[in-house]
């Protein structure tokens, strides 16, 4: 296979640093960053049997869902989550902030409701409608766009937001991300034989699929100069990013991991970093046989014999699809702050590939090193972020 | 400067390339896959309609830009897609089919097209496009935003080559964008000029006519 037009020049313009100044999220562990962090660190999974819809025809009957949401009610599941989040923040972002909304299926339960009961309008499930609702809830008017890149949607959105800030095009961007567990989504993943009937076990020898989860959240990114001017507390930095595609298969990752390696290499170059600067890896780690094998292959290709602590949070709060990158970034920043690499929930025994990379134990995070975050999705989409 | 080096388009009756001034008709309704695709596309029949139109417009745009494509070649090229309805038609098809089965049988081959990024994903697989792949949308003219995003990615060297375009149920158009450090080959105009045309909010036919006129003008000047 030959690749043409590969860029040799310097990657990305030098410009403003994109820093995180605020964040919040709802996951199956509950509302808030600390609640989620504590859940993951406890080793307890939030994946449980669900009664939101019948699961008798599916591969599994469990998922990580948020308590207290009403399915097929007046508001969609993701809007209910966003309302809870933004109710808690009187001004989540300055009025001039741009909005980047990441999701795969957004308010797809509105379409389900219409087809099941004739209520409402199925076309209300269009992501543009959700974009306007989130813009109103957040009270911002600096322009808005949807970014959808399968299960790498949130990390791709964070990369776009950071690029806007680095280039000076914007100095404040609110990235919001969401997806929910509905019959539409659940039946689809089941049809692809992607679900584990037990809570997902990323990187474990006995893993046999993923567990779906739901989440919504936001990250407020600001240029370092504006954050300093406004006296904002800096929670972390999106130092670099890389996006790529396997160009290989619609639902399965490339067996070689080359596509993800390309995204990681781009992200390191974008961050002005090299392999030695990475302290740990927040992996996509879905728990499917192929994804986790592909990821470890890719990490070995980039980091060679220099093994890095790798973890996945999806055994705890499920695969939150279009929200995954945002939730995982918030947890990776928390791990940097706490100088602790979380254990992988439900991980017991490493397979031959992940030996020495994934662990059932928490590990210390190297001081002054960055975190690498990876995501992958249908169509072979890959995203990597370097966080500091 | 970011240049536009190829434009491919297709609707339910015609398809064409702007720089090479190709305009063909297929009013018999038979999708002209042999004329459009540079090499065998055996399983195109399994694609949903929007994906088929996306792949056709991308094929025509790459041909227009003189970019060699074969099953053995991979390109450091990204693709930014947009449209007004997302994956709505595929969503309806998938869930209706599932309900018709008595909520017992869901079909994976329908489910995979319920992501708005799937049509460009199919194009990436067929043409070996290994750069960034995202779908964007917004309340304003999302085609302009797609081109702007692709141009920004080129400027930041996120890929060597970018495609940006839109596909609805009955039409698709894709643009090939090249940056300064990847010059060579003919360009129709710079990206800003194309964005000005897109901002006019023309019908699809008017849009194609406008680009054809732009091409005639570029040859005269």
């Amino acid at each position: 296979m030959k690749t043409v037009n590969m860029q040799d020049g310097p990657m990305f313009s030098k410009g403003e640093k994109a820093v995180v100044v605020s964040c919040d999220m709802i996951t199956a562990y509950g509302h808030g960053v600390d609640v989620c962090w504590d859940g993951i660190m406890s080793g307890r999974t939030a994946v449980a049997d669900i009664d939101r819809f019948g699961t008798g025809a599916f591969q599994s009957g469990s998922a990580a869902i948020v308590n207290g949401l009403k399915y097929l009610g007046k508001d969609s599941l993701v809007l209910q989550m966003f309302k809870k989040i933004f109710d808690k923040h009187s001004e989540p972002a300055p009025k001039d902030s741009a909005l980047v909304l990441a999701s795969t299926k957004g308010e797809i339960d509105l379409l389900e409701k219409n087809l099941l009961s004739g209520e409402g309008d199925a076309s209300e499930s269009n992501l543009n409608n959700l974009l306007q609702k989130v813009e109103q809830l957040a009270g911002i008017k600096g322009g808005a766009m949807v970014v959808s890149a399968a299960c790498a949607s949130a990390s791709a959105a964070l990369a776009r937001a950071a690029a806007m800030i680095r280039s000076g095009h914007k100095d404040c961007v609110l990235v919001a991300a969401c997806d929910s567990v509905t019959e539409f989504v659940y039946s689809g993943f089941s049809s692809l034989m992607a679900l584990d009937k037990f809570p997902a076990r990323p990187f474990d020898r006995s893993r046999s699929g993923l567990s779906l989860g739901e989440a919504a959240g936001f990250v407020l990114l600001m240029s370092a100069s504006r954050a300093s001017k406004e006296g904002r507390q800096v929670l972390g930095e999106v130092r670099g990013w890389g996006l790529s595609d396997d160009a290989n298969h619609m639902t399965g990752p490339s067996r070689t991991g080359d596509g993800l390696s390309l995204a990681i290499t781009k992200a390191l170059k974008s961050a002005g970093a090299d392999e030695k600067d990475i302290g740990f890896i927040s992996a996509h780690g879905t728990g499917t046989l192929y994804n986790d094998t592909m990821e470890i292959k890719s990490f070995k290709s980039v980091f060679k014999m220099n093994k890095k602590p790798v973890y996945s949070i999806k055994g705890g709060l499920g695969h939150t699809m279009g929200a995954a990158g945002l939730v995982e970034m918030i947890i990776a920043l928390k791990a940097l702050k706490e100088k602790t690499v979380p254990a992988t929930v439900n991980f017991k025994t490493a397979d031959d590939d992940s030996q020495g990379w994934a662990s059932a134990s928490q590990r210390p995070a190297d001081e002054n090193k960055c975190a690498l975050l990876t995501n992958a999705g249908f169509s072979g989409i890959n995203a990597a972020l370097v966080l500091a | 400067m970011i240049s536009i080096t190829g434009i491919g388009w297709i609707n339910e009756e015609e398809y064409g390339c702007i720089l090479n001034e190709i305009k063909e008709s297929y009013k018999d309704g038979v999708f002209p896959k042999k004329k459009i695709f540079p090499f065998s596309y055996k399983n195109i029949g399994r694609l949903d309609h929007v994906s088929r139109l996306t792949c056709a417009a991308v094929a025509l745009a790459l041909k227009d830009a003189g970019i060699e494509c074969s099953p053995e070649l991979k390109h450091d090229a990204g693709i930014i897609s947009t449209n007004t309805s997302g994956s709505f038609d595929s969503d309806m098809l998938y869930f209706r089919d599932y309900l018709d089965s008595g909520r017992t049988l869901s079909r994976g081959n329908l489910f995979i097209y319920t992501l708005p990024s799937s049509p460009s994903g199919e194009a990436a697989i067929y043409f070996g496009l290994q750069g960034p792949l995202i779908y964007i949308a917004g309340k304003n003219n999302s085609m302009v935003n797609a081109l702007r995003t692709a141009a920004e990615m080129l400027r930041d060297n996120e890929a060597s080559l970018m495609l940006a375009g839109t596909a609805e149920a009955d039409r698709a158009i894709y643009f090939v964008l090249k940056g300064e450090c990847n010059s060579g080959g003919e360009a129709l105009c710079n990206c800003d000029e194309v964005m000005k045309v897109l901002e006019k909010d023309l019908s699809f036919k008017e849009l194609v006519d406008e680009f054809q006129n732009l091409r005639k003008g570029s040859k005269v000047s």
Side-chain angles (χ1 to χ4, degrees):
Chain A
M1 194 68 69
K2 188 180 153 199
T3 302
V4 292
N5 291 328
M6 188 57 88
Q7 198 75 41
D8 288 327
M11 199 165 176
F12 309 101
S13 51
K14 292 282 176 202
E16 277 277 5
K17 281 185 181 178
V19 297
V20 177
V21 296
S22 172
C23 62
D24 196 6
M25 61 182 173
I26 290 182
T27 67
Y29 283 122
H31 187 170
V33 176
D34 288 342
V35 169
C36 185
W37 172 259
D38 291 346
I40 291 163
M41 298 306 275
S42 74
R44 174 179 63 85
T45 183
V47 177
D49 288 345
I50 53 170
D51 58 6
R52 191 173 275 178
F53 45 82
T55 56
F58 306 139
Q59 261 189 304
S60 167
S62 62
I65 64 167
V66 173
N67 284 329
L69 303 181
K70 189 173 182 213
Y71 183 45
L72 304 180
K74 180 174 151 276
D75 287 337
S76 66
L77 293 166
V78 295
L79 190 63
Q80 290 173 59
M81 288 191 273
F82 275 132
K83 281 185 172 176
K84 282 174 193 262
I85 289 169
F86 289 120
D87 274 356
K88 215 180 108 182
H89 300 264
S90 57
E91 194 183 318
K95 292 235 174 320
D96 63 327
S97 304
L99 171 65
V100 180
L101 174 67
S103 187
T104 62
K105 295 311 304 168
E107 298 185 290
I108 193 64
D109 40 343
L110 299 181
L111 179 145
E112 293 176 38
K113 188 166 74 172
N114 177 261
L115 291 187
L116 285 165
S117 67
E119 284 178 49
D121 178 355
S123 67
E124 280 290 311
S125 62
N126 188 313
L127 287 170
N128 274 333
N129 292 322
L130 180 61
L131 183 69
Q132 289 180 41
K133 290 173 191 172
V134 175
E135 198 177 18
Q136 278 175 6
L137 283 174
I140 55 178
K141 293 177 176 171
M145 72 189 283
V146 169
V147 166
S148 191
C151 293
S153 293
S155 36
L158 287 159
R160 283 315 304 147
M164 288 179 202
I165 288 171
R166 188 185 274 183
S167 67
H169 184 53
K170 297 279 180 191
D171 63 4
C172 194
V173 184
L174 184 77
V175 180
C178 63
D179 263 319
S180 59
V181 176
T182 76
E183 191 171 356
F184 184 108
V185 171
Y186 203 92
S187 60
F189 274 91
S190 182
S191 73
L192 297 172
M193 308 298 283
L195 302 177
D196 191 336
K197 66 177 172 181
F198 302 108
R201 295 157 283 178
F203 301 114
D204 193 272
R205 184 179 288 278
S206 62
R207 69 182 183 275
S208 66
L210 60 85
S211 296
L212 285 172
E214 63 192 6
F218 76 83
V219 163
L220 181 60
L221 285 176
M222 214 174 243
S223 67
S225 56
R226 180 166 175 176
S228 167
K229 205 181 294 174
E230 294 187 5
R232 301 264 186 171
Q233 186 192 0
V234 172
L235 306 174
E237 179 191 350
V238 181
R239 191 166 285 182
W241 55 90
L243 306 177
S244 72
D245 194 87
D246 291 344
N248 177 63
H249 193 271
M250 280 302 279
T251 55
S254 154
R255 300 290 174 92
T256 64
D258 287 355
L260 183 61
S261 301
L262 180 61
I264 295 170
T265 307
K266 284 182 177 186
L268 290 172
K269 203 171 175 183
S270 158
D274 64 27
E275 297 77 21
K276 289 193 267 324
D277 296 316
I278 299 299
F280 63 86
I281 303 170
S282 166
H284 192 52
T286 59
T288 65
L289 192 62
Y290 292 133
N291 175 84
D292 297 3
T293 300
M294 175 280 287
E295 276 197 280
I296 294 290
K297 255 188 196 159
S298 171
F299 300 152
K300 285 178 178 172
S301 153
V302 174
F303 298 104
K304 313 291 184 220
M305 301 301 285
N306 188 12
K307 289 182 178 174
K308 306 284 180 184
V310 170
Y311 71 94
S312 162
I313 63 173
K314 291 187 174 79
L317 50 82
H319 186 351
T320 56
M321 300 166 281
L326 186 129
V327 171
E328 287 159 15
M329 178 171 119
I330 291 171
I331 294 301
L333 291 178
K334 182 84 174 164
L336 282 169
K337 185 183 167 203
E338 301 293 335
K339 300 182 177 61
T340 304
V341 182
T344 295
V345 178
N346 299 334
F347 176 91
K348 287 195 177 84
T349 312
D351 65 10
D352 294 343
D353 294 322
S354 60
Q355 198 89 44
W357 295 78
S359 173
S361 307
Q362 295 165 19
R363 289 165 283 181
D366 282 351
E367 295 255 9
N368 304 318
K369 291 208 172 179
C370 300
L372 174 70
L373 185 150
T374 56
N375 285 127
F378 286 172
S379 299
I381 299 173
N382 302 293
L385 301 176
V386 175
L387 308 170
Chain B
M1 188 182 76
I2 306 296
S3 303
I4 301 296
T5 61
I7 305 176
W9 61 273
I10 184 164
N11 60 27
E12 287 181 313
E13 296 179 337
E14 296 172 312
Y15 62 90
C17 302
I18 298 295
L19 270 84
N20 286 299
E21 297 178 89
I22 297 168
K23 187 176 180 181
E24 299 278 347
S25 168
Y26 71 108
K27 284 182 181 163
D28 54 1
V30 179
F31 189 70
K33 71 171 189 175
K34 284 190 179 164
K35 288 187 175 175
I36 290 176
F37 293 104
F39 52 92
S40 168
Y41 204 147
K42 281 182 194 161
N43 55 359
I44 192 167
R46 68 167 174 79
L47 271 58
D48 74 338
H49 190 59
V50 174
S51 296
R52 259 200 302 272
L53 291 178
T54 298
C55 290
V58 168
L60 293 161
L62 291 169
K63 179 181 178 180
D64 207 28
I67 293 166
E68 186 191 349
C69 296
S70 79
E72 291 77 34
L73 279 179
K74 298 274 188 186
H75 299 268
D76 180 29
I79 181 163
I80 311 295
S81 61
T82 185
N83 66 5
T84 55
S85 56
S87 55
F88 181 69
D89 290 345
S90 295
D91 293 349
M92 292 293 278
L93 186 65
Y94 167 75
F95 204 62
R96 274 194 177 128
D97 179 74
Y98 165 72
L99 294 180
D100 288 348
S101 79
R103 295 162 95 168
T104 57
L105 183 69
S106 46
R107 290 205 269 181
N109 60 330
L110 298 181
F111 182 65
I112 60 171
Y113 296 110
T114 65
L115 290 173
S117 51
S118 290
S120 53
E122 289 286 8
I125 291 166
Y126 178 79
F127 292 103
L129 310 177
Q130 291 187 303
L133 189 155
I134 58 174
Y135 168 88
I136 68 165
K139 55 188 171 183
N140 298 321
N141 192 327
S142 65
M143 193 56 239
V144 174
N145 283 335
L147 249 79
R148 187 174 290 132
T149 302
E152 284 168 5
M153 285 180 156
L154 272 178
R155 279 192 200 105
D156 290 346
N157 290 334
E158 291 197 44
S160 308
L161 189 77
M162 290 296 299
L163 287 112
T166 183
E168 305 284 358
D170 58 354
R171 62 193 184 276
I173 184 164
Y174 267 83
F175 302 85
V176 177
L177 292 83
K178 264 189 182 177
E180 274 176 68
C181 53
N182 198 350
S183 55
E186 195 182 359
L188 174 68
C189 58
N190 70 43
C191 188
D192 293 341
E193 286 177 71
V194 165
M195 287 200 267
K196 275 182 200 159
V197 174
L198 294 170
E199 278 165 357
K200 290 181 185 172
D201 207 19
L202 303 168
S203 71
F204 190 75
K205 189 179 176 309
E206 289 167 339
L207 195 64
V208 170
D209 287 346
E210 188 88 2
F211 288 127
Q212 284 169 337
N213 290 336
L214 198 62
R215 173 58 177 155
K216 281 176 193 150
S218 75
K219 281 175 80 176
V220 172
S221 62

